[in-house]
Amino acid sequence: MPKVIPDETVRVKITKDKGDYYFGELVEIIKPAKERIDAPCPYFNHCGGCDYQHIKYQSQLSFKENIFFETIKRVGGLNEIPINPIIPSPEPFHYRLKAQLKTSRTGERVNLGYFKKDSHSFIPIEECIICHKKINALINVLLKLSEQNLLYHLDEIEIIYSKLTDKLLLSLSENKINKNRLENLYSIIKKRINEITGVLSLKKTKVDCVGKNFIEERVKDIDYRVTSESFFQVNYSLHELLVNQIMKLVSPRKKDNILDIYSGVGTFSLPIALKANYVYGIDESESSIRDALYNQKSNKIKNCEFLKAKAEDCLIALKNKKVTCNTVLINPPRSGCSEKVKKSIISFNPLNIIYLSCNPSTLGRDLSFFIRSGYEIKSIQPIDQFPQTYHIEALAKLEKSKQIKV
Ligand SMILES: C[S@@+](CC[C@H](N)C(=O)[O-])C[C@H]1O[C@@H](n2cnc3c(N)ncnc32)[C@H](O)[C@@H]1O
């Protein structure tokens, strides 16, 4: 049950009767667990953003380890799995470089907030303590502008912060704001918070922008441009560790060809290319591929190719072109890899498959497919990319099995 810890005695209100089980809401804690703490965020009891702020960070890690293990075992039907202890986030709070906020209106005033879990009921907030402090500074400015009727018809907003350049990018999902109003808004915000580098309005068919439409980051020795619509890992305190872990598992050699499926802005393809023979990065997002090509050029990396396509189609096309590879890196969205992608991966007969996942259920399902296809799991490393929430990231390494299956 949400916001309750195993072994606690609590009073709950039943909200749904499912026959052999119930859904409930916490009413009163009669006997708290030893892991319980007071959640530092004043919105925690209602806001749908975080799940575990009432649990000591060290204990969140132990719970996540157990949940991860149980999920992989149950969904994947896997038993003896070499799972390492979870790697904690160096920053359990203020680690997020990106905030996506909902809006609501009280008269002319625009409120910023999140939805309550599994609902569309709006919870206004004035700060979000898992987001970087600079993001909160911008939230504060936006709320003040709203009091003065300076924010008009916002639907949703997104704020991205760059640690490298100390710059903020604001995207507004809204259809009514014209370029003049956007320019006006940008200059008003700029007077209050100098770190703002661009304001965008994302309309159905086009994007208007005043200032820059991207931020820049550096991870290890690679510079990345990331435009507002492209994906980039959000926990800055784990950026370098993640790249190091991937490099260790891929361990690229000068003769290796590597497929990086779901490659984003080239986060992993580019450092891998520095050590490999050739890397193919595949992503369906136009802006991610545009950024990846830009990043490839700005980092002077030649032995890499970025392809804008659905992995489902692109892998078949590469296979038809007789492309070969010894290692495949996959980092799919929460839905995991489709059957078509998994079958195509197998058709390349790679020696290694490295899988970075943000969803233990689809990871379990996909690992089980690869095992049935002749691979064995060498290691699984959970990483706590999203402290205070239920999300668990994990990095798995599979190798082509030496045993012949009969
Ligand atoms: C979790 S992100 C990973 C990006 C990158 N590896 C990184 O760490 O920055 C998943 C990426 O998969 C892309 N994507 C989602 N479905 C896809 C598909 N069917 N084919 C190709 N790319 C897809 C998204 O555009 C997104 O960039």
Side-chain angles (χ1 to χ4, degrees):
M1 212 186 77
K3 300 186 176 150
V4 174
I5 305 175
D7 291 335
E8 287 194 314
T9 311
V10 294
R11 191 182 316 281
V12 298
K13 183 175 140 202
I14 303 293
T15 51
K16 233 183 258 170
D17 181 350
K18 288 280 187 184
D20 50 352
Y21 65 96
Y22 300 96
F23 283 90
E25 251 175 39
L26 177 63
V27 176
E28 186 193 350
I29 301 156
I30 296 165
K31 190 169 158 281
K34 61 183 186 315
E35 296 89 354
R36 183 172 280 277
I37 50 169
D38 288 335
C41 172
Y43 312 109
F44 175 67
N45 285 340
H46 311 288
C47 175
C50 291
D51 312 283
Y52 293 161
Q53 280 198 26
H54 59 304
I55 305 175
K56 289 177 194 157
Y57 186 51
Q58 205 51 43
S59 310
Q60 286 183 29
L61 295 170
S62 317
F63 285 126
K64 282 191 177 183
E65 275 178 356
N66 288 340
I67 293 167
F68 182 78
F69 179 74
E70 289 304 323
T71 310
I72 295 286
K73 208 167 92 173
R74 177 173 46 82
V75 182
L78 310 172
N79 270 315
E80 288 179 20
I81 331 161
I83 303 185
N84 298 330
I86 191 165
I87 296 178
S89 171
E91 303 287 349
F93 290 101
H94 298 295
Y95 60 85
R96 280 190 72 95
L97 295 183
K98 185 190 237 185
Q100 283 158 314
L101 296 156
K102 307 285 173 208
T103 60
S104 84
R105 246 156 278 149
T106 323
E108 285 297 297
R109 188 196 146 98
V110 175
N111 308 299
L112 303 177
Y114 294 109
F115 285 152
K116 205 173 164 177
K117 197 131 232 100
D118 302 324
S119 92
H120 282 96
S121 108
F122 178 82
I123 309 292
I125 61 137
E126 290 185 3
E127 81 168 319
C128 172
I129 60 172
I130 61 169
C131 290
H132 195 277
K133 288 184 177 159
K134 283 287 166 78
I135 291 182
N136 283 303
L138 181 54
I139 291 176
N140 190 277
V141 167
L142 294 175
L143 290 175
K144 291 223 165 77
L145 295 182
S146 168
E147 275 165 18
Q148 299 157 27
N149 286 347
L150 284 167
L151 291 187
Y152 322 93
H153 304 283
L154 298 188
D155 290 333
E156 270 182 10
I157 69 160
E158 185 177 278
I159 303 172
I160 307 176
Y161 174 63
S162 156
K163 277 274 291 170
L164 177 72
T165 58
D166 191 27
K167 294 287 179 211
L168 287 154
L169 195 63
L170 171 66
S171 301
L172 317 169
S173 286
E174 89 100 83
N175 264 311
K176 298 186 186 100
I177 198 162
N178 61 29
K179 193 85 191 245
N180 285 347
R181 280 173 131 188
L182 205 61
E183 272 165 11
N184 186 34
L185 187 61
Y186 177 67
S187 68
I188 294 171
I189 296 175
K190 187 89 184 157
K191 279 188 199 131
R192 286 162 175 83
I193 183 159
N194 191 41
E195 289 88 340
I196 191 89
T197 188
V199 180
L200 293 97
S201 89
L202 311 176
K203 304 187 180 190
K204 281 203 180 94
T205 47
K206 70 172 183 140
V207 179
D208 278 340
C209 173
V210 179
K212 288 185 176 161
N213 68 343
F214 60 86
I215 51 119
E216 290 151 293
E217 281 298 353
R218 180 175 300 140
V219 185
K220 291 175 68 89
D221 294 330
I222 308 271
D223 290 316
Y224 297 94
R225 177 188 87 175
V226 185
T227 49
S228 62
E229 297 140 283
S230 305
F231 177 92
F232 203 62
Q233 302 288 340
V234 295
N235 185 335
Y236 78 89
S237 66
L238 282 165
H239 275 169
E240 198 163 321
L241 181 137
L242 201 56
V243 174
N244 285 340
Q245 291 274 329
I246 299 258
M247 291 303 285
K248 198 171 89 191
L249 295 188
V250 174
S251 69
R253 297 162 304 172
K254 270 292 160 220
K255 58 179 182 180
D256 290 342
N257 291 341
I258 287 151
L259 292 184
D260 178 10
I261 311 175
Y262 313 97
S263 54
V265 301
T267 315
F268 308 126
S269 323
L270 295 174
I272 291 171
L274 290 178
K275 305 237 158 147
N277 179 49
Y278 206 79
V279 180
Y280 295 89
I282 303 166
D283 203 291
E284 67 175 4
S285 150
E286 196 170 324
S287 83
S288 291
I289 290 293
R290 228 184 292 122
D291 285 342
L293 291 168
Y294 177 94
N295 296 333
Q296 175 181 5
K297 209 167 163 192
S298 66
N299 289 286
K300 300 189 176 55
I301 295 171
K302 297 222 159 62
N303 55 334
C304 196
E305 196 171 323
F306 288 101
L307 305 157
K308 190 227 152 290
K310 274 197 160 298
E312 284 75 359
D313 308 324
C314 190
L315 290 171
I316 294 172
L318 287 177
K319 185 76 193 144
N320 288 341
K321 277 201 212 158
K322 309 247 178 299
V323 165
T324 59
C325 72
N326 26 12
T327 299
V328 173
L329 169 64
I330 343 169
N331 182 202
R334 287 184 60 72
S335 51
C337 290
S338 62
E339 286 291 302
K340 208 168 165 185
V341 167
K342 283 182 288 213
K343 282 183 183 153
S344 289
I345 291 172
I346 298 301
S347 75
F348 283 88
N349 200 20
L351 291 174
N352 306 301
I353 300 172
I354 316 297
Y355 192 139
L356 179 63
S357 152
C358 56
N359 183 345
S361 298
T362 51
L363 176 66
R365 179 200 68 196
D366 293 347
L367 287 178
S368 145
F369 174 93
F370 289 124
I371 289 168
R372 279 182 273 119
S373 308
Y375 286 79
E376 55 186 308
I377 304 175
K378 284 290 157 189
S379 64
I380 307 186
Q381 178 63 68
I383 304 170
D384 194 23
Q385 282 253 72
F386 310 102
Q388 320 306 331
T389 76
Y390 73 87
H391 295 284
I392 310 172
E393 190 93 3
L395 183 56
K397 174 163 184 163
L398 294 123
E399 254 177 39
K400 195 151 180 55
S401 176
K402 298 204 174 61
Q403 292 169 16
I404 313 272
K405 294 214 162 149
V406 253

